[in-house]
Amino acid sequence: MTIAVIGDLCPDVVVAGVPTRGRELSFGQAEELVTSTTATLGGSGALTSCAMSGVGAPAALLAVVGEDAFGRLSLELIRERGVEVAEVRVDPSTPTGSSVILVRQDDPTDREILTDLGTLASLWPDEVRAALERREPGFVHVSSFFLHRRLQPALAGILADQ
C-alpha cells in the first residue's frame, strides 16, 4: 500500500547560535558570528514522507521544485531517504521555495522561520488528481494545507474521489 503525500519539498537553511542576547536582531549592516549553518531537507510533506519511508511504508511525494540548485539538492536528499519522487514536478519558471531558520543563541528552543514560498504553492488540482489516479494510493496525507493556495479550493473534492 503506497502512501501519497501531497506536500512541499524544499531545503531548510538552519542558522544556529544567532546572537540576540534577549533583544531583537540587529540590522543596519551589523555582522554577527553564529555557531553553525547547515542546509538540510525541509518541507512538511518531504519530512512526513521520509518518516513513512523510514519505517518501511512505501511513500510517494507529490510536490513541485524549481529547476535550480535548491531543487536539485532537495531531490537528492529525499531520494537518499527512499521516497518515490516520480510525482515531483520540476518547474523551470519558478525558483524552489526555501526556509531560513534562525535559532537563538540564548534560547535554542526559540527560532524564527523565514519562508520563501517559491514553488511550495505550485501544485495544481488537475496534476494532483491525475497523480492520485495513477498511483491509486492506500492512504493520502496532505501536509501544510495553508501553503497549497492553488490546490485548496479543489482539495476536498479530490480527496472525496479517492
Side-chain angles (χ1 to χ4, degrees), residues 10-91:
C10 65
D12 282 349
V13 178
V14 181
V15 182
V18 175
T20 58
R21 294 176 284 287
R23 60 174 168 73
E24 299 294 317
L25 291 174
S26 300
F27 285 90
Q29 305 304 318
E31 184 171 354
E32 301 271 5
L33 300 179
V34 298
T35 307
S36 66
T37 303
T38 57
T40 187
L41 184 64
S44 297
L47 298 177
T48 299
S49 60
C50 287
M52 292 176 186
S53 180
V55 297
L61 180 63
L62 287 70
V64 183
V65 295
E67 191 174 49
D68 53 24
F70 278 171
R72 289 187 293 279
L73 173 64
S74 298
L75 283 168
E76 176 185 332
L77 292 172
I78 198 163
R79 281 185 184 117
E80 289 174 357
R81 291 162 174 85
V83 174
E84 171 59 53
V85 294
E87 302 296 346
V88 174
R89 177 169 50 89
V90 177
D91 179 350

